[in-house]
Amino acid sequence: MQLEQILRQRKEKKDILLMTHIVLGYPSFEANREIVRQMVENGVDCIEMQIPFSEPMADGPVILKANQDSLANGTTVAQCIAFGAEMAATYDIPFLFMTYYNILFKHGEDRFFTEAKEANIKGLIIPDLPPEMGENFFRLAKENEIAPILIFAPTSTQERMATLDSMGQGFIYCVARRGVTGKKSSFGDDFNEYLARCRNATRMPIAVGFGIQDKEDIEALKGRADMAVIGSQTIRLVDEQGPEAVGPFIQGLR
Amino acid sequence: MDNKGFFGNWGGAYIPEILHQTFQELHVEYQRAKNDPAFWQEYLHLMRTYSCRPTPLTYAENLSNHFGGARIFIKREDLNHTGAHKANNVMGQGLLVKRMGKKRVIAETGAGQHGMATATMAAKFGFDCTIYMGEVDVRRQRPNVFWMEKMGATVVPVKDGSRTLKDAINEAFRDWVTNIDSTHYVFGTACGPAPFPEMVTWFQSIISEETKEQIKELHGKLPARIYACVGGGSNAMGSFYHYLDTDTELVGVEAGGHGIDSGMHASRLCGTDASPGVAQGYKTMFLQNEDGQMLETHSVAAGLDYVGVSPILSDLWEKKQVRFEAATDKEVMAALDLTMKLEGIIPALESSHAFVQAFKEAPTIAKDEAIIINMSGRGDKDIFTIAHAYDDPSWKEFIISRAAEYSSKS
Ligand SMILES: Cc1ncc(COP(=O)(O)O)c(C=O)c1O
């Protein structure tokens, strides 16, 4: 089954879905394993696994540091794909890879897609690959039935959203605000207006990410978005309290 | 540049969605400026009255005699205001920022010359200014940090990654995506997402526009070769641009660091360590590992210590229109020393790379031919690094006594 359909089915039973984020190899693959287990057991609907890159342009300090530390530990792309395969074989939720374009480009796009498909990865989020630059990428995504997930931003015009909607699959990732990952977002009138614009621009499910940190944030998204994305917050939590803290945190979100 | 920002196989605009609209506006503004003859006139006027354009082309008679071959000419970008070619690009972008109505500028800097030029432009045009600079570079280019701060800029030392130019670029992008509405990112070299490589080249092309006139006047014909150092590639593109369709041979000189086989260098187009990649918004030859992770680079010159290179130069390299060589840290010090002693001219460590290769080739070129070395900047900024490399006793004594003075007062 493809990503959009899986998410729609899960959404039938919940008022909002939860997607979480991990940086592979940070603090270690051991810890990643435990974190994913706790996430899935506490009802997370989808997990994006970031393959670390040395130049993570769109990420804020928390995820940036995680990328660097993971690489300093010696994390390789091959290990990341193998870990993805292991998770997808172990748990019955969709797993995505998030990374920057150079990781695919250097690995060989064909080879990356083949390996990701073998690993049963359902979608890819590549924040520095706009549709104009990704002819080959979008062709391979279609051939391999892996959803290319595109991003709406508050600066996207209606026309631009229409273009992105026509190229993307799975769901649309709506970035809550300007800036990089990590800082808290505020959900005022401007935000609601933006989210309404997003909703109108696509028939796919919409996820909202960047700066979502607690139950209150998620409450505010119910009825407006299909999925909430928790990114930097779980990394912060693991840094401060260890992997054991993830389960109770996720539990408390809904 | 094609309509997607590519030069042959290289370039493009690999940018996060949040920047899409800003880049659309930048493309429009750039095209409008390019098609408006009054804009270039305004630019020339500014550069003539605020900076020192046209900068002289100096016949280096003593160096020419010393090598006994080609007549050596030096293009004096050191005499441009703020002491390097960087101001050519910055003042041009400053005029664009005024047109776009933005009030804040940010920039990355390696050697500090681009940051310095941007801080100067911001002071003149009344913009707020933040400069991102790798922590390593803050240390090795301390005089420029001092002047940037004195001109009212905020200098942010970047502590991530290799703490050099590429990390400063990442951090500037992070600022930009956060403050796009108010802010323009004054990209410092002919790299990054389109339209930056072409736009920066356009402003820097003023160098070759001038030398083409100057060399005809001083030498009667075009030069046999032109040498320029290559960091990101802006002074090289600027000094090559108007010769691309001539018989003049164009030579780009990269940082050879401890040697091209040492792994401790920043040679992307010369040598075999680089491979095609996409980072910092564009596709070019990058120094990266098998997995696409960027490598540490090394050069005595902060401004050349960079993993990528202009996509326009990658294209010219692939089409064999520009030849690439490398100069080691050691060779650079020797060329700098000789130029000071024989000509009374102090090239920046970056620029000294171009001198190295010109000196190697000058003896083999006929005496009635001319070569031009693009001296991208002056060496004053490097006083700490150069004095350290000389292990200069009287300078050390001065630093020690000044430090003692400061610490006894605090
Ligand atoms: C004096 C000088 N020359 C050369 C460079 C290298 O830049 P580019 O290759 O863009 O000319 C710098 C960069 O900081 C510089 O300050």
Side-chain angles (χ1 to χ4, degrees):
Chain A
M1 208 176 357
Q2 293 199 22
L3 182 59
E4 179 174 345
Q5 214 182 338
I6 300 173
L7 295 178
R8 287 204 185 284
Q9 282 192 359
R10 295 186 81 94
K11 180 75 192 333
E12 279 167 17
K13 289 167 248 145
K14 299 178 180 181
D15 38 9
I16 192 158
L17 302 179
L18 266 188
M19 176 162 103
T20 49
H21 170 276
I22 59 171
V23 174
L24 293 171
Y26 180 80
S28 65
F29 282 106
E30 256 322 275
N32 286 156
R33 239 173 231 113
E34 177 58 19
I35 293 164
V36 169
R37 188 180 68 81
Q38 298 211 14
M39 285 173 170
V40 178
E41 283 177 1
N42 287 282
V44 161
D45 300 283
C46 183
I47 297 179
E48 60 169 322
M49 302 177 291
Q50 181 164 1
I51 303 177
F53 180 45
S54 57
E55 320 300 317
M57 191 208 249
D59 283 302
V62 172
I63 296 180
L64 167 64
K65 180 180 169 292
N67 273 261
Q68 288 175 349
D69 289 2
S70 173
L71 291 174
N73 292 342
T75 300
T76 65
V77 175
Q79 284 175 328
C80 292
I81 295 174
F83 183 86
E86 181 192 326
M87 291 304 107
T90 310
Y91 300 108
D92 187 28
I93 64 164
F95 286 87
L96 320 175
F97 279 139
M98 180 268 173
T99 192
Y100 290 83
Y101 182 56
N102 200 44
I103 298 295
L104 281 76
F105 181 77
K106 185 71 182 159
H107 200 71
E109 281 182 288
D110 279 289
R111 178 177 160 212
F112 190 92
F113 270 99
T114 306
E115 292 175 9
K117 189 182 169 74
E118 272 168 23
N120 206 13
I121 296 300
K122 295 292 179 190
L124 294 176
I125 303 174
I126 315 290
D128 63 343
L129 188 71
E132 296 76 16
M133 298 290 115
E135 221 171 284
N136 205 35
F137 176 89
F138 284 91
R139 182 181 54 76
L140 287 166
K142 193 172 231 164
E143 278 171 24
N144 290 285
E145 298 186 330
I146 294 179
I149 293 145
L150 290 183
I151 294 169
F152 284 178
T155 50
S156 309
T157 60
Q158 288 314 110
E159 194 190 349
R160 180 67 179 165
M161 285 183 178
T163 306
L164 296 167
D165 176 54
S166 72
M167 303 289 290
Q169 278 181 45
F171 63 91
I172 290 285
Y173 191 131
C174 305
V175 167
R177 55 163 167 73
R178 290 159 176 73
V180 291
T181 53
K183 265 199 218 124
K184 186 146 176 94
S185 296
S186 63
F187 302 128
D189 289 347
D190 281 357
F191 174 76
N192 288 335
E193 204 179 295
Y194 159 62
L195 217 54
R197 276 205 308 127
C198 296
R199 181 63 92 189
N200 280 331
T202 183
R203 303 218 317 258
M204 281 183 269
I206 61 174
V208 175
F210 274 40
I212 294 174
Q213 304 186 336
D214 51 31
K215 190 181 168 86
E216 204 184 322
D217 293 342
I218 288 169
E219 269 319 304
L221 292 177
K222 280 187 188 164
R224 294 199 170 89
D226 301 298
M227 183 154 76
V229 186
I230 309 268
S232 308
Q233 194 61 8
T234 37
I235 296 184
R236 248 181 234 123
L237 192 71
V238 173
D239 282 348
E240 286 161 14
Q241 302 173 33
E244 317 73 66
V246 172
F249 169 68
I250 300 288
Q251 185 101 76
L253 287 175
R254 272 196 298 220
Chain B
M1 178 169 81
D2 70 12
N3 63 0
K4 287 183 178 175
F6 283 89
F7 305 86
N9 296 314
W10 314 96
Y14 297 81
I15 49 172
E17 178 55 29
I18 192 99
L19 289 176
H20 179 82
Q21 193 53 27
T22 296
F23 271 82
Q24 293 292 100
E25 288 159 20
L26 186 58
H27 272 288
V28 168
E29 208 59 57
Y30 165 56
Q31 285 308 332
R32 198 176 287 158
K34 238 184 122 173
N35 295 330
D36 175 5
F39 181 86
W40 192 255
Q41 285 313 311
E42 184 187 1
Y43 172 66
L44 286 182
H45 179 75
L46 177 67
M47 296 312 285
R48 280 174 189 151
T49 54
Y50 185 62
S51 195
C52 203
R53 303 221 74 92
T55 56
L57 184 68
T58 302
Y59 175 46
E61 191 171 9
N62 299 333
L63 283 170
S64 303
N65 290 337
H66 179 81
F67 289 106
R71 303 178 74 200
I72 300 174
F73 289 85
I74 301 174
K75 179 60 171 169
R76 302 292 303 280
E77 290 304 295
D78 58 315
L79 297 177
N80 209 18
H81 184 36
T82 70
H85 68 294
K86 295 287 178 188
N88 305 338
N89 167 39
V90 167
M91 298 314 293
Q93 289 199 43
L95 292 177
L96 277 186
V97 176
K98 283 216 302 197
R99 286 181 163 215
M100 290 187 289
K102 292 192 169 177
K103 292 280 177 249
R104 177 172 178 265
V105 290
I106 56 172
E108 86 293 349
T109 195
Q113 290 301 103
H114 175 60
M116 172 86 170
T118 305
T120 306
M121 179 272 279
K124 178 167 171 62
F125 290 159
F127 303 142
D128 287 334
C129 179
T130 300
I131 303 295
Y132 293 92
M133 190 167 184
E135 198 181 33
V136 171
D137 296 335
V138 168
R139 289 184 61 86
R140 55 182 169 176
Q141 301 288 341
R142 196 63 188 76
N144 277 338
V145 175
F146 174 81
W147 290 123
M148 286 187 262
E149 288 178 342
K150 283 292 162 275
M151 280 185 288
T154 305
V155 180
V156 181
V158 178
K159 300 185 166 85
D160 309 305
S162 59
R163 294 169 294 140
T164 56
L165 185 57
K166 75 172 174 63
D167 310 286
I169 292 175
N170 289 335
E171 213 46 38
F173 269 114
R174 293 186 185 107
D175 179 317
W176 204 15
V177 298
T178 311
N179 302 298
I180 4 171
D181 303 328
S182 66
T183 300
H184 175 69
Y185 178 7
V186 185
F187 210 87
T189 187
C191 293
F196 281 116
E198 191 186 87
M199 185 167 81
V200 173
T201 296
W202 183 47
F203 290 127
Q204 292 294 358
S205 71
I206 194 170
I207 301 173
S208 47
E209 187 173 296
E210 290 172 4
T211 59
K212 226 173 166 178
E213 292 299 310
Q214 291 168 322
I215 196 71
K216 278 186 197 152
E217 192 185 316
L218 294 173
H219 180 65
K221 60 175 180 180
L222 294 185
R225 294 179 198 173
I226 299 176
Y227 299 86
C229 68
V230 182
S234 68
N235 88 87
M237 278 313 302
S239 56
F240 295 167
Y241 187 78
H242 287 284
Y243 295 88
L244 281 169
D245 52 1
T246 70
D247 291 335
T248 300
E249 188 182 9
L250 307 172
V251 186
V253 188
E254 296 183 283
H258 294 330
I260 199 107
D261 302 319
S262 66
M264 298 272 288
H265 62 77
S267 298
R268 294 111 337 158
L269 298 176
C270 162
T272 54
D273 287 356
S275 58
V278 176
Q280 308 210 301
Y282 68 109
K283 183 185 285 182
T284 197
M285 292 291 283
F286 282 101
L287 289 164
Q288 57 182 332
N289 72 10
E290 295 276 278
D291 263 355
Q293 312 296 353
M294 296 301 143
L295 297 172
E296 293 264 332
T297 53
H298 169 82
S299 171
V300 68
L304 307 187
D305 204 351
Y306 180 52
V307 289
V309 65
S310 175
I312 311 182
L313 285 173
S314 285
D315 185 43
L316 293 170
W317 162 76
E318 201 169 48
K319 293 177 174 150
K320 302 203 168 18
Q321 282 180 266
V322 176
R323 168 160 62 92
F324 288 87
E325 304 287 349
T328 64
D329 290 354
K330 260 210 188 100
E331 292 171 325
V332 161
M333 285 304 298
L336 172 61
D337 190 64
L338 189 70
T339 306
M340 288 194 287
K341 297 257 158 57
L342 291 188
E343 296 290 346
I345 286 174
I346 312 173
L349 285 167
E350 289 79 11
S351 321
S352 299
H353 286 69
F355 284 72
V356 168
Q357 193 61 30
F359 292 173
K360 283 183 192 166
E361 299 179 14
T364 68
I365 301 170
K367 281 187 174 168
D368 61 347
E369 296 290 349
I371 60 176
I372 296 178
I373 302 172
N374 191 47
M375 176 165 161
S376 55
R378 64 175 184 226
D380 316 35
K381 69 175 176 66
D382 298 317
I383 188 162
F384 287 89
T385 313
I386 296 173
H388 186 76
Y390 274 115
D391 200 19
D392 188 85
S394 66
W395 173 260
K396 274 204 280 197
E397 206 172 290
F398 160 71
I399 295 288
I400 291 165
S401 71
R402 183 54 71 85
E405 218 174 284
Y406 284 151
S407 57
S408 70
K409 275 184 201 147
S410 62

